[in-house]
Amino acid sequence: MTLLVDRKESGPGIHAMVIGVGHYPHLEGGSTPRPDTLDLRQLTSPPVNALKVADWLRTKLSHPRAKLASVDLLVSARGGPVSVADDQGATREIDPATMACIRSGVLGWIQRAHLDAGNVALFYFCGHGVAAGLMSGLLAEDFGDDHTDRTLLANVVDLEELYLGMDQCRAEEQLFLIDACRATPAAIAERAMRGRIGESILTPSAKPRYAARDAPILYACQPGMTAYAQRDADSAFTRALLDSLDGAGAVLEGIGWCVRTDSLLRAVNARLRRLAGDQNLPPQKAVQDRTSGYVFHRLAKPPSVPLSVGCHPQTAVDAAELVVSNRLLSKRLPAPPKGRWAESFPAGSYDIAAEFPRKEFRDCALRDVLLHPPEHSIDLEVQQ
Amino acid sequence: MSTLALRLEKDLDGGTSVALGQVFDRRGELVAAPRIPVGFQAQHLELELPEGSYLVRALLPSGEYVNQHVELLPGVRKPVDIPAHGSEHEWLSWHHFSNGAGARDAVVPKRRSAFMMARRHDESPILESLRLVSPAMHDIVMEDLTGVGQTTVTLRGMVVQAWVYGYGPHVLVRLTARVDGGSAQFQPVRALVKCAGEPESIVCLPMPWPGQQHASSRDEEACAVEILLQSRDDRQAGVPGPVVSVLVKDAVYGPLLAYLSSGDLASALELVRVERSRPFVPPRQQPYAFASIEYVLLEGEGLANQLRGTATDRHYRLEATKALRDECSWMPDGAVLHGSHLLRSGDVESARREFETAIDRGVPVFTAGLRLLLEGLRRVEALDDLKKIGPYAASADPQQPFTTLNSAALEAGGVDVTSLRAREIAAMALA
């Protein structure tokens, strides 16, 4: 394990386990590929994602009650070990995400999170994922090291067992973020028929506690589907997730603008739709499992809300200027090149007007339009 | 004060439903979280609000949302019909509303030809056979519904009317069941669905679904249950066969189950909260609705705690699930739910026995039940039983509210589907 952050502060703390697996030596493109690589290849995105998530936690996370206490980072990248500056500014070589490292990392993570019921336990994984029906597994770096297949599931983390085992952790707020495909290679599905899909790191207790925790799981995609990323860049899901945490998933509560776990999913999916369009990626829909409803992150300022404005009839857009204003801000935008204006504004109420300097149409305005995350789209009805 | 009269515009085959909503004031503060009526026939919901500007957001069960800006002038009643069409296949509007099926990325049908009998189509899953299976006692009734526009079959006293439509990448089967002689005689009903060149799907059907006091269907006797078959996207490699989704066109339980399946427990719990304020209906009168509520309360226990959270209520849950277990012995879900509550009460041995009872009764009707059974067996380390349900858990579609199994995956797990197709598959007997 590599404790990038290890702060010994009193009171509730946030304990994060962040894993990014891009290097799989026994899969296609690896140094010692298995005879049957199950169509699974090397990945470039998970190390980028894991580092971004760890960085976001260190620099931006503001839980209303708990402070960041620990971040354990495991990264397997094709080019070898990754080095990152730790909390003290010292350069640390990050341990790889082998099954042994994940196991010891998870055990340390639960031990730290268990100390206080007010703690928050966060688990993030990016890498290859497999699924068979109701079961999901996460592939460690050394997946497939037994080329005979006798222990094919030895280096697969059984996600359900990990999830169920975590209900013995006293941390009442938990969050599981899984950025991985949920495909079903036949060889793995066949072995899942025994009711398990990998190794159990934690043994679920026979005595779960009533309402012991609020612990949603957010998956990057639906079962059987693929989670997408651009080469050497962050993935669509992780980008959408961080955008949502930065404000797209925000709601206004008594403590100000904050991101709740029950407002995350719709925001992530709104962002995923936008990213798919912008990056020409196939559609991808995140899904949430289990209950949730707590404030995870507090924003220091109102979130930025993407606004898309068009006109009816559409031809009016070419002759129009868009004016978005309130008592703090006023912005005039010329006719857009693509038929709609697209611009982001801080959440709040605005007057939104289409003005026609050459008077082809009558000016048209909506007053006091609330721009609320995740995004807003408006069509102005204009008349000649 | 002014009145905001809200409704969501969606043609639900002449029926109505509800969706959770949020009303934000101009500062962005949530001022109301109403249940917004859905459907052209629905009455507007009236909210008294101070004059001003508002953002109304409808949270659809499919996971989508719709925004509407509203300006309320002083002292007026303003009707607001939020458009929620969003689908190019409005004949699939219930499915689009519930799970996003038939969204705009699909083929555009011509209005007049949208309702057609199932037929060969280049993009369509070709329905080869659809058999209903009713395993009451030791009898097996199978009726092949293939190739018909409308037909009626009888399954041990239950009369099922079936309509089959197909267009573009979709085939829709609408089933409405009623029971001769009045009171419902429930029994596990499964559909075996086979498309040409594809493995069979085995679907648990919640039939008959008695019409509620808030009946959404024009048929007052029962709510329709619909099976939708969609061509699977090429990107879903590794999962053979079409996507098979089942929904019940109940005004409240339809969206409730969809919220549960999409992970929006907060919305599901809000609907449960309102349902629980209605007069108590014993499980034998509406076992599926009864079980739905118990699943939402158990799955959302972290949030439900905010709604109830007392030991008394836990005791009530234990008694309620026991009643479901006792009164509906044909339904495995009661034993699964009761066992899950016993586990949480610390009575591990009783819980283990409940899970064994559930296995004797077969595969749970609800996917949530299959998952709770898997969880329970893992917790009590009943390894032999775990192996029995393993193939079913590994071949179930987790996105569906009602247990939907893929026969190809079952066969890969060593389950002889051909031999099961007789009695065992009918009863889904696991033991």
Side-chain angles (χ1 to χ4, degrees):
Chain A
M1 76 182 178
T2 319
L3 276 179
L4 209 57
V5 174
D6 187 14
R7 299 172 190 165
K8 307 275 191 277
E9 293 187 38
S10 61
I14 299 161
H15 299 273
M17 177 86 230
V18 179
I19 301 169
V21 197
H23 178 47
Y24 288 93
H26 306 289
L27 297 182
E28 195 174 319
S31 51
T32 53
R34 294 158 37 82
D36 174 10
T37 56
L38 311 176
D39 279 339
L40 298 172
R41 303 174 177 83
Q42 306 302 306
L43 301 172
T44 58
S45 182
V48 177
N49 288 328
L51 295 176
K52 283 198 170 184
V53 168
D55 188 54
W56 188 92
L57 292 169
R58 293 164 70 179
T59 57
K60 293 188 175 175
L61 176 60
S62 170
H63 188 276
R65 196 172 28 76
K67 292 177 181 169
L68 186 66
S70 72
V71 177
D72 187 358
L73 181 62
L74 299 174
V75 175
S76 295
R78 185 118 197 238
V82 171
S83 295
V84 179
D86 70 11
D87 226 15
Q88 314 302 320
T91 301
R92 296 281 301 274
E93 188 173 290
I94 305 301
D95 282 345
T98 59
M99 192 66 183
C101 288
I102 293 176
R103 187 183 295 278
S104 71
V106 165
L107 293 175
W109 169 63
I110 186 173
Q111 201 169 1
R112 291 188 296 278
H114 187 63
L115 291 174
D116 188 328
N119 283 347
V120 181
L122 181 144
F123 181 87
Y124 171 89
F125 175 90
C126 184
H128 277 303
V130 289
L134 307 181
M135 293 172 270
S136 299
L138 311 174
L139 273 51
E141 179 198 298
D142 43 355
F143 167 75
D145 60 351
D146 173 8
H147 290 201
T148 67
D149 277 5
R150 278 190 286 266
T151 56
L152 183 63
L153 299 185
N155 296 324
V156 178
V157 177
D158 186 319
L159 182 60
E160 271 67 39
E161 297 250 318
L162 174 66
Y163 181 84
L164 295 179
M166 276 298 288
D167 72 5
Q168 295 309 300
C169 174
R170 286 174 62 206
E172 288 178 352
E173 292 179 356
Q174 302 178 10
L175 180 58
F176 295 78
L177 304 164
I178 310 298
D179 190 355
C181 295
R182 302 177 75 188
T184 316
I188 290 179
E190 187 186 317
R191 286 164 175 80
M193 296 289 167
R194 290 167 171 266
R196 296 187 195 280
I197 197 168
E199 290 289 300
S200 174
I201 296 178
L202 304 174
T203 306
S205 164
K207 295 182 179 178
R209 293 172 294 146
Y210 262 114
R213 57 177 174 157
D214 186 335
I217 310 176
L218 210 57
Y219 291 100
C221 60
Q222 295 166 295
M225 298 295 280
T226 303
Y228 293 96
Q230 290 189 324
R231 177 169 284 278
D232 296 316
D234 51 0
S235 67
F237 174 76
T238 295
R239 180 177 293 189
L241 172 71
L242 295 181
D243 280 355
S244 300
L245 291 169
D246 280 335
V251 291
L252 186 60
E253 296 211 333
I255 58 170
W257 285 99
C258 56
V259 179
R260 293 176 57 90
T261 48
D262 51 358
S263 61
L264 260 181
L265 180 66
R266 286 176 207 268
V268 166
N269 278 326
R271 278 291 192 267
L272 280 174
R273 270 195 302 277
R274 178 180 287 266
L275 284 170
D278 292 350
Q279 300 182 355
N280 202 23
L281 291 171
Q284 178 179 334
K285 187 176 181 185
V287 292
Q288 185 174 317
D289 203 355
R290 312 296 170 122
T291 178
S292 188
Y294 63 88
V295 175
F296 178 69
H297 175 54
R298 211 169 35 174
L299 301 182
K301 57 180 184 181
S304 181
V305 182
L307 170 67
S308 165
V309 182
C311 288
H312 280 157
Q314 202 172 343
T315 49
V317 171
D318 297 333
E321 291 180 358
L322 182 73
V323 182
V324 180
S325 61
N326 63 12
R327 60 188 175 82
L328 300 173
L329 176 155
S330 179
K331 194 159 190 176
R332 180 176 290 270
L333 302 169
K338 288 185 181 176
R340 291 185 75 84
W341 290 276
E343 186 84 18
S344 292
F345 296 90
S349 283
Y350 295 85
D351 293 340
I352 298 174
E355 295 183 356
F356 297 90
R358 293 183 299 279
K359 305 298 179 194
E360 298 95 328
F361 296 88
R362 291 184 195 169
D363 291 354
C364 164
L366 287 176
R367 304 289 170 207
D368 258 350
V369 177
L370 173 64
L371 300 188
H372 191 284
E375 57 190 21
H376 211 97
S377 180
I378 289 173
D379 287 292
L380 297 167
E381 299 286 342
V382 298
Q383 293 178 334
Q384 283 185 316
Chain B
M1 294 292 274
S2 306
T3 302
L4 177 60
L6 279 179
R7 185 174 68 177
L8 203 60
E9 272 188 355
K10 185 89 178 161
D11 180 10
L12 296 178
D13 299 335
T16 63
S17 188
V18 290
L20 272 296
Q22 298 172 323
V23 181
F24 300 98
D25 67 12
R26 63 184 303 279
R27 292 164 300 177
E29 285 185 7
L30 185 70
V31 293
R35 292 181 356 141
I36 303 177
V38 184
F40 289 116
Q41 277 67 37
Q43 297 286 318
H44 286 85
L45 171 79
E46 298 201 341
L47 293 174
E48 295 291 313
L49 292 168
E51 65 177 284
S53 295
Y54 295 92
L55 173 71
V56 181
R57 176 171 292 171
L59 307 172
L60 304 182
S62 62
E64 304 296 321
Y65 66 88
V66 190
N67 282 337
Q68 178 84 33
H69 168 71
V70 179
E71 208 163 341
L72 266 185
L73 299 174
V76 302
R77 176 186 184 275
K78 178 155 190 174
V80 174
D81 292 305
I82 306 170
H85 299 296
S87 166
E88 297 290 3
H89 295 268
E90 279 304 288
W91 62 294
L92 300 175
S93 59
W94 262 99
H95 289 265
H96 179 254
F97 174 62
S98 294
N99 55 40
R104 287 189 185 278
D105 55 353
V107 178
V108 181
K110 290 175 183 168
R111 193 81 185 162
R112 286 172 61 82
S113 58
F115 289 86
M116 302 169 73
M117 284 173 51
R119 62 176 177 79
R120 181 169 290 275
H121 188 288
D122 288 346
E123 302 168 69
S124 171
I126 300 158
L127 184 61
E128 195 171 276
S129 71
L130 191 152
R131 285 171 295 162
L132 292 186
V133 180
S134 169
M137 306 302 288
H138 295 292
D139 294 350
I140 302 159
V141 182
M142 290 191 182
E143 294 282 353
D144 198 332
L145 301 177
T146 313
V148 295
Q150 179 175 343
T151 191
T152 302
V153 298
T154 304
L155 301 176
R156 289 191 61 82
M158 185 166 67
V159 180
V160 182
Q161 275 193 306
W163 293 263
V164 183
Y165 312 121
Y167 192 75
H170 306 103
V171 173
L172 180 72
V173 182
R174 180 174 299 153
L175 302 163
T176 308
R178 61 184 169 79
V179 179
D180 282 341
S183 67
Q185 295 165 16
F186 293 95
Q187 50 192 313
V189 180
R190 321 293 188 191
L192 308 182
V193 186
K194 175 88 172 74
C195 290
E198 303 282 10
E200 199 166 46
S201 293
I202 304 155
V203 189
C204 295
L205 297 178
M207 296 198 312
W209 188 289
Q212 304 288 305
Q213 57 270 45
H214 38 65
S216 65
S217 167
R218 280 172 293 193
D219 181 344
E220 291 178 0
E221 288 184 341
C223 293
V225 172
E226 287 188 348
I227 308 171
L228 178 67
L229 312 176
Q230 298 175 84
S231 299
R232 200 175 285 276
D233 194 300
D234 288 343
R235 289 181 292 272
Q236 290 173 297
V239 183
V243 177
V244 180
S245 47
V246 173
L247 61 77
V248 57
K249 293 167 80 171
D250 183 292
V252 173
Y253 288 92
L256 185 150
L257 287 164
Y259 282 127
L260 175 66
S261 298
S262 69
D264 187 352
L265 265 299
S267 297
L269 279 163
E270 178 57 24
L271 291 182
V272 163
R273 189 179 63 77
V274 176
E275 278 309 288
R276 291 181 73 206
S277 66
R278 296 180 194 278
F280 176 76
V281 178
R284 63 181 171 280
Q285 282 186 24
Q286 206 345 349
Y288 303 115
F290 195 94
S292 304
I293 286 184
E294 294 303 325
Y295 279 123
V296 171
L297 288 172
L298 195 61
E299 292 264 334
E301 63 185 71
L303 282 175
N305 206 31
Q306 298 164 12
L307 297 176
R308 50 193 183 99
T310 65
T312 314
D313 203 66
R314 287 173 194 168
H315 176 72
Y316 175 76
R317 303 260 66 74
L318 205 57
E319 291 302 310
T321 52
K322 184 170 181 292
L324 182 65
R325 191 269 317 258
D326 292 341
E327 293 181 23
C328 304
S329 59
W330 53 271
M331 189 181 181
D333 301 65
V336 174
L337 281 160
H338 191 53
S340 299
H341 278 289
L342 286 168
L343 262 192
R344 284 156 178 75
S345 306
D347 188 349
V348 178
E349 280 316 305
S350 299
R352 184 195 301 274
R353 284 194 294 277
E354 290 299 327
F355 296 138
E356 286 169 359
T357 301
I359 286 175
D360 287 342
R361 292 178 178 181
V363 171
V365 174
F366 292 83
T367 308
L370 185 56
R371 188 163 72 176
L372 281 172
L373 183 58
L374 181 70
E375 174 187 330
L377 294 174
R378 283 177 159 181
R379 288 191 183 279
V380 301
E381 298 194 68
L383 299 183
D384 288 342
D385 289 337
L386 198 55
K387 284 179 189 165
K388 283 180 191 165
I389 77 149
Y392 299 89
S395 58
D397 183 345
Q399 295 285 283
Q400 300 303 324
F402 303 105
T403 306
T404 303
L405 305 171
N406 185 299
S407 66
L410 273 177
E411 281 170 353
V415 176
D416 184 351
V417 174
T418 309
S419 70
L420 280 178
R421 205 164 276 134
R423 194 168 77 197
E424 289 85 349
I425 208 165
M428 292 270 188
L430 293 160

